[in-house]
Amino acid sequence: MNSEKTLIKLSKEGNKNAFEVLVIKHQDKLMGSLNKLFKNPTFSEDIAQEAFIKAYINIGGFNEDSAFFTWLYRIAVNTAKNYLSSKYNKNEIIESEIDENILTQIGMDSPSPESIFEANALRDRLFQCLSDMPEEIKSAITLREFNGLNYEEIAKICNCPVGTVRSRIFRGRKLLDEIQTSMNNEAKSNNGR
Amino acid sequence: MEDSIEHRLSALLDGETSEFETRRLIEEINRSPEIKNLWIRMNKTKSLVTAEIDFSPRNISSTVIEELDSSSIKQKKFSKDEKSKQLKYYGFAFGVLLSLGLVLQPFMIQEKESFKSTTVIPALSIGNTPVSSNESYLEEIGNNLKGSLKRIEFIEDGDIIANYVENDSNRSFKLRVLFRDLSIEDRIKLSSTGITVHSLANNKPVVINLSSEEINNQGLVELSNRIFLNIRK
């Protein structure tokens, strides 16, 4: 089974709903990777948006030799580099001046200390929740999220049917989602005060 | 009994749904804002747990789809036999290169200096220092990258492909230099293969594309930064 292949196939047929599901699936990873490179969330977000639009236009040419994310990431990095290159060409600087310094000079718009603090606090709670989970759920989630194994591989390791793995991972995610929801509600009520 | 929507979304998150199930989920996500929010939240939790984000970015999917809907953006048509056409094209180009190589080989071996002076490839410049030949320019790039130039391939319009091997890791990478501007279609096509920068040299457009089958994306980005940092110096 490969849901991503279906999402790509439908996107190639012009199904924007399928493409939106793909965007939601990859946006955090893409923006996270771009932000590690450019240290500027706003710029990373703009580039990610443009990259997704380019990806939609050209998805017919994606031959699936590589993973979708690899293809998307390359489009995003090239978009960023070309943006920076054209910016400097306009200033009549002949050579490409793309280096780490320039990439970080594009803005001082780092994430706010509050948002970093909130994300870290949420991550701590999620990990606490993960370590408190029943052993069989914790194993399934860990093998999936940190070792990248598919359900069949996890089923072999845990010596249980694939359906059980699917249920265990779902139960684990539900517990994690409850943490996220309660923290979001706490943050909302704090902001409302 | 059918699994709950959350149960099925969890499987979709892991790429473990059948085509039929995926199609149904796409419809359900699109039909219900509540389910869409759940899908967004599940993805965010996954990203936070796997440390793919170090802050909580907003959801850009709606902006992307709005942009696609509002403008006249259309998907490019790629014919099914495009790949075979490309293979035929590369086969033909390879044949031409091979013939050229065979014809030019004696001259290249005997008169390396004359090769430098008669080369048809326009010279680039590193900073304000003119480079007498592209071969030495490409060798210089190799030195900057702690790599060795292994082979140069000449392609149409004076474009070149330089093949390098990194000295310490032995990984190979390719630098494709096109001495012309490209159409939007070709730019996008090229952008999906490696890292590409569109720049100017001697006031003429130059496209530099870095690719490798042995170096991952992050490695290519770092390598490209090294190239452009050194060109600037």
Side-chain angles (χ1 to χ4, degrees):
Chain A
M1 272 187 276
N2 191 334
S3 324
E4 186 137 309
K5 276 198 168 161
T6 307
L7 292 171
I8 291 165
K9 182 180 149 193
L10 294 173
S11 300
K12 281 182 178 180
E13 290 166 8
N15 184 329
K16 284 183 193 154
N17 295 334
F19 188 71
E20 189 175 9
V21 173
L22 262 182
V23 174
I24 296 171
K25 193 163 186 243
H26 292 287
Q27 60 178 356
D28 289 338
K29 193 174 178 184
L30 183 63
M31 284 192 278
S33 306
L34 290 173
N35 203 45
K36 278 185 187 118
L37 210 58
F38 302 120
K39 319 274 184 228
N40 181 331
T42 312
F43 180 74
S44 303
E45 214 172 278
D46 290 345
I47 293 298
Q49 273 179 33
E50 206 177 321
F52 277 119
I53 291 168
K54 283 184 181 170
Y56 180 77
I57 296 169
N58 290 283
I59 199 159
F62 172 54
N63 54 24
E64 295 172 53
D65 286 344
S66 61
F68 177 74
F69 183 77
T70 307
W71 182 71
L72 178 68
Y73 179 79
R74 282 183 172 174
I75 292 177
V77 170
N78 285 325
T79 303
K81 291 209 162 191
N82 287 328
Y83 167 79
L84 295 169
S85 181
S86 67
K87 191 177 154 192
Y88 281 87
N89 280 342
K90 274 180 196 157
N91 291 338
E92 294 178 350
I93 293 170
I94 304 294
E95 300 85 22
S96 303
E97 296 203 18
I98 296 169
D99 61 60
E100 292 296 343
N101 294 332
I102 286 164
L103 294 177
T104 52
Q105 275 169 25
I106 53 178
M108 303 301 288
D109 187 17
S110 304
S112 68
E114 290 82 12
S115 66
I116 295 173
F117 178 79
E118 274 172 26
N120 286 340
L122 178 55
R123 191 175 288 138
D124 287 348
R125 287 273 293 270
L126 291 174
F127 276 103
Q128 188 56 51
C129 171
L130 187 62
S131 69
D132 294 342
M133 281 177 193
E135 202 52 51
E136 72 277 8
I137 297 180
K138 189 163 56 182
S139 303
I141 286 270
T142 306
L143 290 169
R144 172 65 219 156
E145 300 293 28
F146 303 107
N147 298 82
L149 302 187
N150 63 32
Y151 287 3
E152 210 176 317
E153 291 165 324
I154 298 171
K156 275 183 195 156
I157 292 171
C158 299
N159 199 22
C160 64
V162 171
T164 308
V165 171
R166 181 169 153 145
S167 294
R168 285 177 183 172
I169 290 176
F170 157 68
R171 277 157 57 205
R173 288 221 172 98
K174 201 164 165 55
L175 292 170
L176 293 171
D177 186 53
E178 280 164 14
I179 297 289
Q180 198 188 358
T181 310
S182 81
M183 278 196 81
N184 282 346
N185 291 342
E186 275 173 35
K188 272 180 199 161
S189 68
N190 286 341
N191 290 339
R193 271 177 209 161
Chain B
M1 196 181 72
E2 194 183 58
D3 290 333
S4 68
I5 180 75
E6 283 164 291
H7 201 150
R8 288 183 292 131
L9 284 177
S10 168
L12 178 66
L13 199 58
D14 294 325
E16 299 268 359
T17 47
S18 66
E19 179 166 349
F20 175 72
E21 214 172 3
T22 307
R23 283 175 183 268
R24 269 189 65 193
L25 281 166
I26 292 167
E27 275 176 27
E28 285 173 277
I29 291 170
N30 185 50
R31 214 174 31 229
S32 155
E34 209 172 283
I35 295 175
K36 189 182 278 181
N37 281 336
L38 180 61
W39 172 238
I40 292 169
R41 214 170 58 229
M42 286 174 88
N43 275 280
K44 290 255 179 280
T45 309
K46 184 184 170 84
S47 300
L48 273 164
V49 169
T50 52
E52 280 168 356
I53 44 173
D54 47 12
F55 65 104
S56 208
R58 63 189 184 91
N59 170 36
I60 59 166
S61 66
S62 50
T63 322
V64 171
I65 299 301
E66 270 167 30
E67 182 70 26
L68 290 176
D69 283 338
S70 65
S71 53
S72 54
I73 291 172
K74 285 206 174 97
Q75 283 186 322
K76 269 179 66 188
K77 297 279 173 229
F78 291 83
S79 61
K80 278 184 183 169
D81 58 350
E82 181 129 327
K83 208 169 175 180
S84 61
K85 271 187 194 165
Q86 277 179 359
L87 283 174
K88 276 182 196 164
Y89 170 77
Y90 287 124
F92 174 73
F94 179 74
V96 171
L97 284 172
L98 192 65
S99 322
L100 264 176
L102 288 171
V103 172
L104 293 175
Q105 197 186 30
F107 301 104
M108 289 166 80
I109 294 168
Q110 287 164 18
E111 289 290 340
K112 204 171 179 184
E113 283 308 309
S114 75
F115 158 72
K116 282 183 181 175
S117 58
T118 56
T119 176
V120 291
I121 303 158
L124 281 175
S125 69
I126 301 174
N128 293 321
T129 316
V131 178
S132 57
S133 82
N134 290 285
E135 194 183 7
S136 62
Y137 169 75
L138 292 167
E139 272 172 5
E140 198 170 333
I141 289 185
N143 292 337
N144 288 335
L145 298 171
K146 294 174 191 145
S148 315
L149 178 63
K150 288 291 167 196
R151 202 174 73 246
I152 307 175
E153 297 164 49
F154 303 92
I155 45 180
E156 81 271 35
D157 295 330
D159 302 338
I160 47 176
I161 297 177
N163 296 272
Y164 297 89
V165 171
E166 266 193 318
N167 292 339
D168 38 0
S169 71
N170 237 8
R171 295 178 305 181
S172 59
F173 60 91
K174 228 176 233 188
L175 198 65
R176 191 171 172 176
V177 188
L178 311 175
F179 297 92
R180 61 200 150 90
D181 211 357
L182 297 177
S183 65
I184 297 291
E185 288 77 22
D186 287 340
R187 277 180 181 226
I188 293 169
K189 207 181 278 179
L190 195 64
S191 73
S192 62
T193 56
I195 303 299
T196 312
V197 168
H198 299 264
S199 187
L200 291 172
N202 296 337
N203 288 323
K204 286 179 182 162
V206 173
V207 181
I208 301 172
N209 173 260
L210 180 72
S211 64
S212 171
E213 292 189 352
E214 294 167 22
I215 302 174
N216 64 18
N217 277 326
Q218 190 60 38
L220 281 180
V221 172
E222 281 162 16
L223 206 55
S224 70
N225 286 341
R226 259 195 276 168
I227 293 177
F228 300 116
L229 183 65
N230 282 310
I231 285 176
R232 197 163 65 98
K233 281 173 182 168

